[in-house]
């Protein structure tokens, strides 16, 4: 099992456009093979910050998602121009 935390910060004025694209990505990704959890959270302290919390059955399936149609459509929307900052963390659980 692979967990992912992806932290995104929208550029000022791009919050709504990025959120719409992110919500569409969530809806599509939840139907992908190996996707066990794919949630989008918004910071209560800074409404430009949104965090994806993901769990995948395997790294192979996560990589297929990253190369897949939903992610390609997401990127084709020009979302790269909406980000002020982005960080992705691949996680291995070490304790319950």
């Amino acid at each position: 099992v692979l967990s992912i935390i992806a932290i995104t910060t929208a550029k000022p004025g791009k919050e709504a456009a990025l959120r719409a694209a992110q919500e569409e990505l969530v809806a599509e990704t939840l139907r992908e093979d190996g996707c066990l959890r794919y949630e989008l959270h918004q910071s209560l302290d800074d409404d430009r910050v949104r965090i994806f919390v993901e769990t995948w059955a395997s790294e192979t399936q996560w990589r297929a998602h990253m190369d897949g149609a939903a992610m390609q459509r997401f990127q084709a929307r020009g979302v790269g121009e909406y980000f002020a900052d982005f960080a992705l963390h691949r996680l291995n659980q070490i304790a319950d």
Side-chain angles (χ1 to χ4, degrees):
V1 174
L2 175 69
S3 295
I4 303 286
I5 299 292
I7 304 166
T8 66
T9 303
K11 288 181 179 175
K14 298 296 185 181
E15 299 91 345
L18 182 56
R19 181 175 176 166
Q22 289 173 320
E23 288 177 351
E24 187 174 310
L25 179 62
V26 169
E28 289 185 61
T29 300
L30 285 169
R31 297 188 296 268
E32 292 182 12
D33 287 339
C35 180
L36 305 176
R37 176 181 185 190
Y38 203 85
E39 301 171 350
L40 180 62
H41 299 264
Q42 184 164 327
S43 171
L44 295 174
D45 301 312
D46 182 344
D47 67 355
R48 294 184 313 126
V49 175
R50 291 195 201 95
I51 300 170
F52 285 95
V53 179
E54 310 173 29
T55 305
W56 292 87
S58 71
E59 180 150 356
T60 300
Q61 288 168 310
W62 171 71
R63 290 197 180 279
H65 156 71
M66 293 302 291
D67 294 332
M71 189 59 73
Q72 289 175 6
R73 282 190 290 276
F74 179 70
Q75 293 171 346
R77 292 179 79 164
V79 296
E81 296 299 315
Y82 302 164
F83 291 121
D85 194 28
F86 176 83
L88 187 139
H89 302 274
R90 295 168 40 243
L91 306 171
N92 183 31
Q93 185 175 346
I94 58 172
D96 281 335

